[in-house]
Amino acid sequence: MDKASIDGWGSGLLGVIIFSGSLPATRVAVGGFSPLFLTSARALIAALLGAALLAVLRQPWPKRDDVVSLTITALGVVIGFPLLTALALQHITSAHSIVFIGLLPLATAVFGVLRGGERPKPLFWLFSCIGSATVGAFALSNDGSASLTGDLLMVAAIIVCGLGYAEGAALSRRLGGWQVISWALVLSLPVVLLMTILTLPPSWDGIGIPAWLGLGYVSVFSMLVGFVFWYRGLALGGIASVGQLQLLQPFFGLALAGLLLHEQVPWTMVAATCLVVGCVVFARRFA
């Protein structure tokens, strides 16, 4: 494995660790904010930060040919995924959503083929499917909640997110990871600003500190910082192969719960994690 690939996997792993707190934070935030306001406010905050970075570091404007890709990226990861997951998490728990996060590496790999021009080997798809099935089975075994509305919303969220990941990663090869997410956020700024104004809460009195902390996390880390590392990782290490690291995201969340919240970590989690790590390793080999 060359240095660029190693750097890509390291950067992608850091992005996954940051993203692992996104759904729980969203679940907390929708307890105080409406899904529409949460979606627009988190994007607005991140867009202002991204615009400041672009201005301070004097980044050149993207080329006209890049606007379409930036639009697709923005629709997928700035608006589509946050909105659909926020709506879904009104019907299902964050734990139940792990089932669908387990499908995200497959969606990313498929769009990596369609939009990024990658051609993984057949064995890559085998290990990718095994890893996704393992994550899904583990999640289902630990959460019996279900909602057709919530499930359909999560399926839609995974599809648009996979497209946004692949499109942004392909563009990152030319513009750079943090530049892509920053320009995608800036491009969406007029829309999210209007949405934020139209969906302002009628009163701020009943909104607790946890909801504010959730909004802060998804705005700064989930919408900007995480993507800086994630898009860099996908661009350097390959969309399909590095995308398999997302299979570890649910287990990072459970591990954090055990360390920070002192929740019991079952042996099945350790076994499933070992199997998923093996699938990631072999998927990387045949990507």
Side-chain angles (χ1 to χ4, degrees):
M1 187 182 294
D2 56 28
K3 184 178 185 301
S5 183
I6 294 174
D7 289 345
W9 272 66
S11 184
L13 181 61
L14 186 54
V16 167
I17 293 173
I18 293 172
F19 289 150
S20 66
S22 297
L23 288 175
T26 300
R27 174 71 173 175
V28 172
V30 294
F33 302 105
S34 71
L36 284 174
F37 176 80
L38 177 62
T39 299
S40 57
R42 66 188 279 183
L44 176 61
I45 294 170
L48 293 175
L49 292 174
L53 281 174
L54 292 169
V56 169
L57 299 178
R58 299 182 179 181
Q59 294 299 300
W61 287 85
K63 297 179 180 179
R64 183 176 299 178
D65 295 341
D66 295 331
V67 173
V68 174
S69 291
L70 286 171
T71 302
I72 294 174
T73 302
L75 290 175
V77 302
V78 176
I79 297 176
F81 184 76
L83 176 59
L84 291 169
T85 53
L87 291 170
L89 287 168
Q90 289 189 315
H91 303 277
I92 59 176
T93 65
S94 59
H96 186 76
S97 66
I98 290 176
V99 178
F100 303 93
I101 296 301
L103 300 176
L104 190 51
L106 269 179
T108 304
V110 169
F111 285 113
V113 171
L114 297 176
R115 302 295 300 178
E118 298 190 352
R119 294 292 182 269
K121 298 176 182 178
L123 284 176
F124 164 85
W125 297 107
L126 172 62
F127 287 110
S128 180
C129 289
I130 293 174
S132 297
T134 300
V135 174
F138 178 81
L140 286 173
S141 68
N142 284 275
D143 183 15
S145 63
S147 164
L148 179 60
T149 300
D151 289 354
L152 291 176
L153 286 168
M154 281 302 302
V155 169
I158 293 304
I159 293 173
V160 299
C161 189
L163 174 59
Y165 278 173
E167 194 71 30
L171 191 57
S172 294
R173 295 166 182 164
R174 300 196 302 275
L175 298 184
W178 75 267
Q179 291 93 332
V180 167
I181 188 58
S182 295
W183 282 119
L185 287 163
V186 169
L187 186 64
S188 65
L189 186 55
V191 175
V192 298
L193 175 59
L194 179 61
M195 285 177 58
T196 302
I197 294 173
L198 294 176
T199 59
L200 284 171
S203 173
W204 304 95
D205 295 337
I207 302 173
I209 293 178
W212 285 108
L213 292 176
L215 173 60
Y217 187 91
V218 297
S219 300
V220 178
F221 293 97
S222 301
M223 290 298 297
L224 184 60
V225 177
F227 278 105
V228 171
F229 296 103
W230 182 240
Y231 276 148
R232 181 177 183 273
L234 292 175
L236 290 176
I239 298 171
S241 59
V242 174
Q244 299 307 297
L245 288 171
Q246 295 167 107
L247 291 170
L248 300 174
Q249 184 171 323
F251 303 107
F252 282 135
L254 290 175
L256 289 173
L259 291 173
L260 300 179
L261 303 179
H262 306 291
E263 295 179 357
Q264 183 178 2
V265 177
W267 69 267
T268 52
M269 172 191 168
V270 178
T273 302
C274 291
L275 179 57
V276 168
V277 169
C279 290
V280 170
V281 171
F282 282 105
R284 169 64 185 88
R285 180 178 179 182
F286 295 108

